Structure formats: structure tokens, C-alpha cells
Amino acid sequence: MDWDDFEDLNFDEEENLDDELFRNLEEEKEEPFFMVRHKSMFFPASLKKGDKIAIISPASVVKDEYVYGAMARMRERGYEPVLMKYALGHEDGNFAASKADRLMDLFDALENSEFKAIFCTRGGYGCSQLLANFSYGMVAKNPKWLIGFSDVSALLAMWYSSDIASIHGPMAKHLATKPADDPSTVALFEMLENGGRFDYTVAPHEYNRLGKTTGVIRGGNMAVLTDLAGTAYDLFDAMRDYNDDGIILFFEDIAEPIYKINRMLWRLILSGSLPIVKGIIFGQFTEYKPDKNFRTMEDMIKHFMDRSIVPPHIPVVYNFPVGHTDLNYPITEGAKVELDVKETTVRLRTIF
């Protein structure tokens, strides 16, 4: 897609841009403009040496040195990172670029068949603004890996709703500031090169519920995904998913008060989603303060789980290394996994 496609638009009026984008997309695509859910996920091709990775900034402003550092790490691995036109601005307040420019980069990255993956530089806020300009066919037409977490959870939800697997994983700052042998970085590259496969064994937590189960894993930033409730991208609405394998959910978040996470959990109970999942993984909840009711987020979650209608026999994991921490293991959204929670270890692995 090129700027010439928009030469008659008034870019000072964002609603006009959105309307014209919808008209252009409706003319170009053959698929009906709605989301559907199938029984299986499509996994993009594994990356190999020399493959191109599109670098985009779909949300908040990111530091140049993080982006260039991440690109250097990709080159060390043998990939060819390509900085998209607006990945480093022009800044639009707190956003990396205007909505139109961020959309343009994402559209171009999707449409260019030379790109085998799309790497998001940073979260923050802004990804949900882009969702209204997409349809099922736009992602499914030329599927490729999408990588990111935090606010990027909104785009990962769009990939899932299009039946395309994606990667909830480290972004530019992590790749740029951690050494080449960092476990999360190594896991990300190995995942990209092996069709989304992963196998993690981590230490137990005293609150864990023991058990073994299998299901399709999905989740991400809890606040972002909660804000998508009732939309076509409602990732936590297990009842609307036609996959027969069942669902294992994972959550993470940053700077959310304990009571807000409690409220999000109650929404999942009231929606009927949480009581029918096959397993739950609580990742890292960071940068919050104790309140009058609970000293830690884990204390609140355990209290909630012990008194809710979540089946007591399903395995539950606390403090899994995924989220806004140094150890942020990538997870393949939409993969079938086995979760094995023992007294001594927790193992989470893909089962293809």
C-alpha cells in the first residue's frame, strides 16, 4: 500500500481516513468483513538465515537505540531486519507516529511477501486503535509471525481471531539491552526457527495447583485484553471458540492495582469464560503496591481462586516467567500445549 492510495484524503480528519481505508479494503478483498473461528490454527513458516523481518512501532514512542540494538541482534542471528518507514516517527504525542502512519507500516509489512515476520518494537498504548481497519482476510491472506507483548496483545488477539499463530514475546528493549545468550532472546529465535515450538521447565510456587492438562494456549496483557471484551477480538471468551481441544489461559500485567486485577478476574467469572478453561497460568504482575486487603498480587489471586467457581481440579500456575521482567519467555498464541504442574517443577511445552 502506498501514499498514492490516499492522495485525496484530508489527513487532519482521522475519521475520513478510517472511512476511506474501509472502502479501499472492501473493494480489494473477497472475504466477508467479519471474524470467524475455525477448528485449527495456521502456523507461519519457520524463519531461516537471510529472511527479512519487518520492524514496526504500532504503539508508543520507542528509543532509537533500542530499535537499532534489536536489529543488530537479529543480524547476529542471520536475519535481515528492515526498518519500516514510520517505525521511528514522526512522533505524534506519546505515539510512535500518527495512526495513519502506524497503519501504513503494518499494512505494508503484511502485504510484502518478502517479510517472514513482523517485530513490534514497543507496547505502551496505541495498538487497539488499529484494529478497526482490519478484516479476517488481511491477516490470513499472507500470514507471518507477529512478535510482541504488553499493548501488542491487542494485535496478537487480531492474529488469533484470524486463526494465525503469533508470538507473545520480548521486544526491542529486551533484545538491545540483554546479552546474546539471554534465555528469553534465545528462546524467541529458536521458536521462530522451529515453527513456534517451545519447552519450558520452571521452579514451582507455593500456591500452585498440581495437575496435568492439554489445551490451546492464549492470553497476554490482562488490562489490554479486558478492554477488548465483547468485540471480535475477545481472546478470553472461551465459549465462542470452536476449538475442541479446550483453552489454557495465561495473564500478565504491569502497574495495575491489585483491586483492578481482581475486577478483571470477576469479569471472566461473570462472562462464563473462566470456569470452563482447562488450565490457568498467572505470569508476572509488576510495579504495583500492596493494599489494605492483600500484600501481594499472588495473595489476592489465590484468595480469589479458592473462593470462585473455577473447577478445583484444573492446574493453576503462579509467578510464571512471562511479562514485564528480565525473564520473559515467549509463548506461541494458539499452539496446543501440555501443562504439567508438579510439586518440584512446572513444565509447559508445545505438542504438535
Side-chain angles (χ1 to χ4, degrees):
M1 200 164 287
D2 190 83
W3 276 113
D4 293 340
D5 297 330
F6 307 102
E7 59 185 359
D8 296 327
L9 298 180
N10 180 354
F11 280 85
D12 293 328
E13 296 182 21
E14 194 170 59
E15 289 186 3
N16 290 344
L17 171 63
D18 288 346
D19 291 344
E20 186 65 19
L21 281 170
F22 272 120
R23 285 193 291 272
N24 287 346
L25 297 175
E26 285 293 318
E27 292 173 358
E28 292 176 5
K29 63 185 176 59
E30 297 178 357
E31 299 82 1
F33 191 77
F34 58 83
M35 293 294 172
V36 297
R37 292 243 169 91
H38 299 300
K39 286 182 176 290
S40 62
M41 298 292 293
F42 179 87
F43 288 78
S46 299
L47 267 64
K48 58 184 184 299
K49 304 297 183 184
D51 278 345
K52 292 182 179 181
I53 300 176
I55 310 297
I56 68 170
S57 300
S60 294
V61 174
V62 61
K63 293 183 178 180
D64 292 15
E65 58 264 34
Y66 292 160
V67 176
Y68 291 126
M71 294 173 68
R73 189 70 70 210
M74 292 176 191
R75 292 190 189 97
E76 291 174 3
R77 191 75 180 191
Y79 307 133
E80 183 181 343
V82 179
L83 190 66
M84 301 305 286
K85 186 173 182 179
Y86 303 105
L88 291 176
H90 305 293
E91 295 178 10
D92 182 18
N94 291 324
F95 301 114
S98 70
K99 177 186 172 184
D101 291 345
R102 287 179 283 133
L103 274 170
M104 193 70 63
D105 276 355
L106 185 51
F107 286 156
D108 287 345
L110 273 170
E111 291 190 344
N112 190 331
S113 61
E114 292 187 359
F115 295 132
K116 304 306 179 184
I118 302 173
F119 181 84
C120 300
T121 63
R122 185 191 172 189
Y125 174 66
C127 289
S128 60
Q129 298 175 341
L130 312 183
L131 297 183
N133 297 106
F134 284 85
S135 71
Y136 173 86
M138 290 186 66
V139 178
K141 179 180 177 181
N142 192 12
K144 57 197 71 180
W145 291 109
L146 176 74
I147 306 149
F149 80 110
S150 190
D151 190 66
V152 179
S153 292
L155 297 182
L156 301 179
M158 178 175 67
W159 252 243
Y160 187 98
S161 295
S162 301
D163 303 306
I164 309 299
S166 60
I167 296 176
H168 180 284
M171 296 184 288
K173 181 179 179 180
H174 190 105
L175 268 62
T177 60
K178 302 299 178 185
D181 62 352
D182 170 77
S184 303
T185 301
V186 172
L188 174 61
F189 289 145
E190 290 180 347
M191 181 181 291
L192 287 168
E193 294 161 4
N194 292 282
R197 291 172 175 82
F198 62 83
D199 189 342
Y200 305 130
T201 299
V202 302
H205 189 278
E206 60 178 320
Y207 292 163
N208 286 355
R209 286 188 188 177
L210 308 186
K212 187 175 182 179
T213 190
T214 62
V216 173
I217 192 164
R218 63 184 185 188
N221 183 271
M222 199 166 183
V224 172
L225 296 176
T226 296
D227 288 343
L228 296 177
T231 73
Y233 311 101
D234 189 345
L235 202 65
F236 291 155
D237 188 355
M239 294 188 298
R240 290 196 296 116
D241 194 299
Y242 300 115
N243 193 299
D244 295 329
D245 295 320
I247 298 299
I248 295 174
L249 292 178
F250 74 95
F251 308 96
E252 60 84 19
D253 220 315
I254 182 172
E256 291 290 344
I258 291 175
Y259 80 91
K260 286 191 176 181
I261 297 298
N262 181 269
R263 184 166 62 195
M264 296 174 202
L265 288 170
W266 274 111
R267 186 198 78 77
L268 292 174
I269 289 290
L270 295 173
S271 71
S273 298
L274 208 56
I276 61 175
V277 298
K278 296 180 68 177
I280 306 174
I281 299 170
F282 293 103
Q284 301 296 303
F285 292 83
T286 56
E287 296 186 18
Y288 68 88
K289 296 179 180 179
D291 64 18
K292 292 182 179 180
N293 294 310
F294 300 101
R295 181 178 57 87
T296 69
M297 193 71 75
E298 288 74 22
D299 289 343
M300 181 278 291
I301 294 172
K302 183 179 187 301
H303 182 273
F304 171 88
M305 295 294 292
D306 288 346
R307 290 159 179 77
S308 72
I309 58 174
V310 176
H313 63 277
I314 70 169
V316 179
V317 177
Y318 291 78
N319 204 39
F320 192 86
V322 58
H324 295 76
T325 53
D326 287 343
L327 187 57
N328 178 20
Y329 279 144
I331 291 178
T332 307
E333 300 266 7
K336 188 174 181 180
V337 301
E338 178 186 79
L339 175 62
D340 189 6
V341 186
K342 300 178 180 179
E343 289 186 359
T344 55
T345 60
V346 173
R347 187 182 184 188
L348 179 68
R349 67 184 184 97
T350 50
I351 46 175
F352 286 85

